[in-house]
């Protein structure tokens, strides 16, 4: 998986490309842990994300909990396959999907 990080003041965007699964979720989790201090608006861009596993969902849930305390989080450019995963798991009700 490739993660492209763009920060503009208190706004952070992470663009994900490839697969967010058991082997790549720790990379995203580490980047979030290192990058969220002082961030009030987090956007996770999934335009180039091909696959999302339960390990990826866990990382997204952790990021959402952190951002609930310090600002907001949005998930952008979700394709139909990943949107179906969000709907089946109930994440569509938890995440702000734009």
């Amino acid at each position: 998986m490739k993660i492209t990080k763009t920060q503009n003041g208190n706004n952070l965007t992470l663009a994900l490309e490839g697969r967010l699964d058991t082997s790549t979720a720790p990379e995203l989790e580490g980047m979030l842990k290192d990058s969220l201090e002082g961030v009030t608006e987090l956007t996770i861009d999934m335009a180039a994300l091909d696959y999302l596993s339960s390990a990826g969902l866990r990382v997204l849930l952790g990021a959402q909990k952190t951002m609930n305390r310090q600002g907001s989080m949005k998930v952008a450019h979700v394709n139909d396959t990943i949107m179906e995963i969000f709907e089946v798991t109930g994440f569509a009700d938890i995440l702000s999907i734009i």
Side-chain angles (χ1 to χ4, degrees), residues 7 9-12 31-43 62-73:
Q7 187 150 7
N10 293 340
N11 298 338
L12 174 65
M31 181 172 281
L32 285 164
K33 198 171 283 187
D34 294 341
S35 304
L36 290 183
E37 187 173 330
V39 171
T40 56
E41 189 172 321
L42 171 64
T43 302
Q64 182 66 64
K65 286 181 177 179
T66 299
M67 292 311 299
N68 284 345
R69 291 190 296 271
Q70 66 189 54
S72 66
M73 176 175 128

Side-chain angles (χ1 to χ4, degrees), residues 1 30 34 67 84 98:
M1 180 177 68
D34 294 341
M67 292 311 299
E84 187 175 339
I98 56 171

